[in-house]
C-alpha cells in the first residue's frame, strides 16, 4: 500500500488524474472503476480539463461504477446515474455503450441475476485496470458497510444509519435517503489491477488510520486494501491526522526513485 499525503485535495486529485492519463496513454481501451460522492469531484473536473486542453481521449475507455441507490430512477437528482452525467460523462467522450452503472430500478428476485451479469460484464471488459475509491467515515468502500464479507461480490446491501446520515445532504431530507443499494463487492473491488483511494477531510481520519494501520477486519472493510498488491492512498493533511506513521509515509514518497514517479 502506498500512502501519499499532500496538503490539499486539488493536488491529490490532479495526481489521480495523471495516473488515469498515463494508464489511457499506455492502454487506450482501459477499463476504469468509478466512484461518486463528494470526494472524486475535483478528479472528474481535472479529467475534463485534460480531455479539453490536452485531448485525453476516452473513446475506447470502458467504465464501471461502484454502486447505485435502489429505488431511484436514473434522472433522480441524487441518483449516481445523474451524478455521473453531470460531473463527468456529459463533458468527455466515453461512448455511452461503454458506460456501466448499476441500475437503481431492479427489484426483488431480479437482483441476484442482475448483479451476476454486472460481474460478468466486468470480466468481459477484461477486468478493471484502475479503480477509484472514496471511503466512508465508517470505512466502507463502494457501499460495503461494516461486517460486509471481505470476499463479497456485487449484490444488494443495506446502508448503515451513519452512511444514510452522511449522505442526507444530497437528498431533500434525511428520510429520503434510500435504505438499499447495489454495490460491487469487496472481492470485486480487490480484483482491480490498481486501486486509487482518495480521502479528504478530518471526518475521514479515523477510517484512514484504520485502513492503513489497523488490523484487517470486516468491521472496517477498507482495511482489506492492506492485502492488495497495488493500492495507492491519496490523503490530505486533515484525513491523515490520526496516522501514527505519517512522517514515514512522507519520507518514503520523497525518496521514490525517479522511474517510479508519475508527477
Ligand atoms: C460512492 C461510494 C462511496 C463513497 C463514500 C465516500 O460511489 O462508493 O463509498 O466513496 O461514501 O463518500 P464522499 O466522497 O461523499 O465522502
Amino acid at each position: 500500500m502506498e500512502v501519499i499525503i499532500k496538503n490539499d485535495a486539488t493536488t491529490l486529485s490532479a495526481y489521480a488524474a495523471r495516473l488515469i492519463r498515463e494508464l489511457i496513454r499506455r492502454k487506450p481501451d482501459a477499463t476504469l472503476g468509478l466512484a461518486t460522492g463528494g470526494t472524486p469531484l475535483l478528479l472528474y473536473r481535472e479529467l475534463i480539463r485534460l480531455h479539453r486542453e490536452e485531448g485525453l481521449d476516452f473513446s475506447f475507455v470502458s467504465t464501471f461504477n461502484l454502486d447505485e441507490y435502489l429505488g431511484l430512477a436514473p434522472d433522480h437528482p441524487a441518483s449516481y446515474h445523474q451524478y455521473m452525467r453531470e460531473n463527468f460523462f456529459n463533458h468527455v467522450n466515453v461512448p455511452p455503450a461503454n458506460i456501466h452503472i448499476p441500475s437503481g430500478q431492479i427489484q426483488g428476485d431480479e437482483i441476484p441475476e442482475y448483479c451476476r451479469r454486472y460481474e460478468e460484464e466486468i470480466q468481459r471488459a477484461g477486468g478493471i485496470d484502475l479503480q477509484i475509491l472514496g471511503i466512508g467515515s465508517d470505512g466502507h468502500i463502494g457501499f460495503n458497510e461494516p461486517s460486509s464479507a471481505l470476499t463479497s461480490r456485487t449484490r444488494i446491501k443495506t446502508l448503515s444509519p451513519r452512511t444514510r446520515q452522511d449522505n442526507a445532504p444530497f437528498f431533500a431530507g434525511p428520510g429520503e435517503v434510500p435504505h438499499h443499494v447495489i454495490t460491487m463487492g469487496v472481492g470485486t473491488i480487490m480484483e482491480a489491477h490498481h486501486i486509487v483511494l482518495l480521502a479528504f477531510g478530518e471526518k475521514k481520519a479515523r477510517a484512514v488510520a484504520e485502513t492503513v494501520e489497523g488490523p484487517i477486519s470486516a468491521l472496517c472493510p477498507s482495511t482489506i486494501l492492506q492485502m492488495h498488491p497495488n493500492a495507492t492512498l491519496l490523503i490530505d493533511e486533515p484525513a491523515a491526522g490520526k496516522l501514527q506513521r505519517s512522517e514515514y509515509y512522507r519520507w518514503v514518497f520523497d525518496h521514490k526513485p525517479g522511474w517510479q514517479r508519475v508527477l
Side-chain angles (χ1 to χ4, degrees):
M1 176 181 279
E2 181 180 26
V3 180
I4 302 178
I5 303 168
K6 295 281 167 200
N7 280 340
D8 61 281
T10 308
T11 306
L12 293 160
S13 302
Y15 188 89
R18 275 192 286 273
L19 290 172
I20 291 177
R21 180 186 66 188
E22 294 316 303
L23 169 65
I24 295 175
R25 282 188 180 159
R26 224 174 37 247
K27 185 179 180 192
D29 62 346
T31 301
L32 302 177
L34 299 178
T36 56
T39 306
L41 286 171
L42 289 170
L43 164 64
Y44 292 136
R45 197 187 296 170
E46 177 62 7
L47 287 173
I48 293 165
R49 192 191 69 75
L50 291 175
H51 171 66
R52 289 188 179 147
E53 295 178 14
E54 294 187 16
L56 181 62
D57 182 16
F58 293 90
S59 60
F60 296 103
V61 166
S62 296
T63 65
F64 286 85
N65 266 75
L66 285 165
D67 40 24
E68 178 59 289
Y69 293 105
L70 272 175
L72 298 194
D75 58 353
H76 186 288
S79 80
Y80 288 163
H81 281 75
Q82 181 67 12
Y83 170 106
M84 289 306 300
R85 272 194 301 273
E86 267 173 28
N87 295 300
F88 190 51
F89 293 132
N90 283 352
H91 312 284
V92 296
N93 63 337
V94 182
N98 292 5
I99 295 171
H100 306 83
I101 306 175
S103 168
Q105 299 199 292
I106 300 297
Q107 288 178 359
D109 57 10
E110 295 170 350
I111 293 174
E113 175 58 14
Y114 177 82
C115 293
R116 202 188 53 71
R117 285 207 313 272
Y118 200 70
E119 293 269 341
E120 254 177 31
E121 285 183 69
I122 295 173
Q123 293 308 318
R124 210 174 304 134
I128 290 173
D129 293 298
L130 187 150
Q131 174 69 55
I132 294 294
L133 292 180
I135 184 170
S137 59
D138 60 3
H140 70 228
I141 48 175
F143 272 137
N144 295 284
E145 296 283 33
S147 83
S148 288
L150 298 178
T151 52
S152 52
R153 314 303 307 187
T154 303
R155 70 210 181 295
I156 182 173
K157 281 298 286 181
T158 305
L159 293 179
S160 69
R162 182 156 152 194
T163 298
R164 291 187 70 240
Q165 190 184 327
D166 285 348
N167 291 2
F170 300 102
F171 289 82
E176 301 291 309
V177 184
H179 284 271
H180 297 108
V181 294
I182 288 188
T183 180
M184 277 189 208
V186 181
T188 321
I189 292 169
M190 284 293 283
E191 283 172 7
H193 299 300
H194 186 187
I195 293 180
V196 177
L197 182 145
L198 299 153
F200 307 142
E202 198 185 345
K203 200 169 147 195
K204 305 294 174 73
R206 163 71 42 214
V208 165
E210 282 192 50
T211 305
V212 181
E213 296 171 343
I216 295 174
S217 163
L219 288 182
C220 184
S222 53
T223 56
I224 194 64
L225 297 179
Q226 292 175 27
M227 299 289 287
H228 196 280
N230 191 12
T232 306
L233 273 59
L234 301 173
I235 300 169
D236 72 359
E237 293 287 353
K242 291 195 189 321
L243 286 169
Q244 287 176 26
R245 306 207 170 192
S246 56
E247 283 319 308
Y248 172 64
Y249 310 133
R250 285 182 232 270
W251 188 89
V252 171
F253 183 73
D254 291 342
H255 292 85
K256 250 174 116 131
W259 58 269
Q260 272 191 348
R261 290 180 178 272
V262 173
L263 288 174

